[in-house]
Amino acid sequence: VYADFDRAARSYGASLKVIDGLLGECEAEEERSRCFSLMVDCGNNLAASFIKRGEFTKAETACIAVLEIDYENAKALYRAGIAAMEQDKFVESRLALEGLLSNDPENREGVRKLRELQKRENAYKAKEAKMMKNMSRHMFSKSHAATSAPATQVSATAASATQEPEAVSRSGPSSQPTVEETRPENQGPLRALHVRATYASAVTISAIAISLLLSWL
C-alpha cells in the first residue's frame, strides 16, 4: 500500500511539472484558469498521498500552496488541519478547520477533526502541566536536601558547583528544549494559513504555489 502512495505522489508531482510548463504558454484567461484548476486538483491529491505516507510537513506545504490559489478550498483546508494537528501545531490546525467550517458548518469530517483537535490540545496541556509539576517537585527536593545536608557535604556541593560552569563550557549548552520552546505556537508555525486571503496577484500566487509544491518533488 505504501508503494502505491509513493507512486501516486510521483505521478502528481510529474503532472504539476507538466502543468507548470503549460501555464507559461497559456495566453487566454480560460486556459490559465483551467491550468490553475488542474494545479489545485493535483496539489490536493499530492497532499493526500503525503498524509497517507505520514509525511505531514510535506502535506501541509502542499495544502498551503493550494490555499494560495484557492483560499477557500475545502479539501486543502481539511487536509491542512490534519497535517498540522499530526505535528502538534494546534494553532494552524484550528485555523484550517475553523476556516473549513466557516464555509461549510455541516461538514461532518471537519466537525469530527475539530473535536479530535480539542482533545489532543487538552492532553498536551495536561502533559505539560504534569511535567512542570514534576520539575518543581524535583527542584524543591534538591533545595531541601542542600539545606539539610552536613557541613562537609554542603562544602563538597559548593566546590562541585564552582566547577560546573567549566564543565558546561566544555560540553556545550544543553540541546534539550525548554517547556516554552515546546509549545506548538512557538515552533515556527506556517502563518500562511492565517493570512492566505491577502494574496491578490494571480501571477504571484502561481509562482509561490508552484515553487512550494515542486520543492518537495
Side-chain angles (χ1 to χ4, degrees):
V1 177
Y2 183 93
D4 291 339
F5 291 122
D6 184 62
R7 190 180 303 114
R10 291 198 302 269
S11 297
Y12 293 128
S15 298
L16 282 167
K17 291 180 180 179
V18 172
I19 299 169
D20 182 25
L22 292 174
L23 189 62
E25 301 176 2
C26 295
E27 296 182 359
E29 184 62 30
E30 183 177 350
E31 293 178 343
R32 293 180 63 82
S33 178
R34 178 58 178 164
C35 283
F36 283 131
S37 178
L38 289 173
M39 286 181 64
V40 166
D41 291 340
C42 288
N44 275 328
N45 290 335
L46 181 62
S49 299
F50 283 143
I51 287 175
K52 290 295 185 179
R53 292 169 58 183
E55 298 182 87
F56 300 113
T57 300
K58 294 181 179 181
E60 186 180 17
T61 301
C63 290
I64 290 174
V66 171
L67 292 170
E68 287 170 341
I69 298 174
D70 177 8
Y71 68 88
E72 292 185 340
N73 188 275
K75 289 182 179 179
L77 287 168
Y78 176 70
R79 289 167 185 164
I82 293 176
M85 178 167 55
E86 292 297 334
Q87 300 173 78
D88 290 338
K89 294 182 177 180
F90 304 129
V91 174
E92 289 88 339
S93 182
R94 186 174 297 279
L95 284 170
L97 294 174
E98 288 182 349
L100 169 65
L101 294 176
S102 68
N103 298 325
D104 182 12
E106 302 302 321
N107 190 301
R108 293 183 178 180
E109 287 301 310
V111 171
R112 184 176 67 83
K113 280 296 176 183
L114 192 59
R115 289 173 179 169
E116 181 182 342
L117 170 65
Q118 188 62 57
K119 289 181 181 179
R120 288 200 185 193
E121 192 170 7
N122 290 341
Y124 181 92
K125 290 178 179 179
K127 182 179 179 180
E128 185 181 61
K130 182 178 180 180
M131 181 171 63
M132 290 293 294
K133 184 177 180 180
N134 289 337
M135 288 175 61
S136 299
R137 183 184 297 114
H138 180 66
M139 292 176 64
F140 175 78
S141 176
K142 290 179 64 176
S143 175
H144 180 70
T147 57
S148 60
T152 54
Q153 182 177 346
V154 173
S155 299
T157 303
S160 175
T162 60
Q163 299 175 1
E164 185 175 347
E166 182 181 355
V168 171
S169 65
R170 289 198 301 266
S171 62
S174 172
S175 60
Q176 294 297 322
T178 64
V179 173
E180 185 67 22
E181 289 172 340
T182 61
R183 291 181 182 274
E185 58 268 29
N186 293 332
Q187 295 178 0
L190 292 167
R191 297 299 182 185
L193 284 175
H194 188 55
V195 297
R196 57 188 178 273
T198 63
Y199 292 93
S201 168
V203 176
T204 302
I205 289 172
S206 63
I208 295 174
I210 291 170
S211 63
L212 282 170
L213 286 171
L214 299 186
S215 64
W216 294 108
L217 305 175

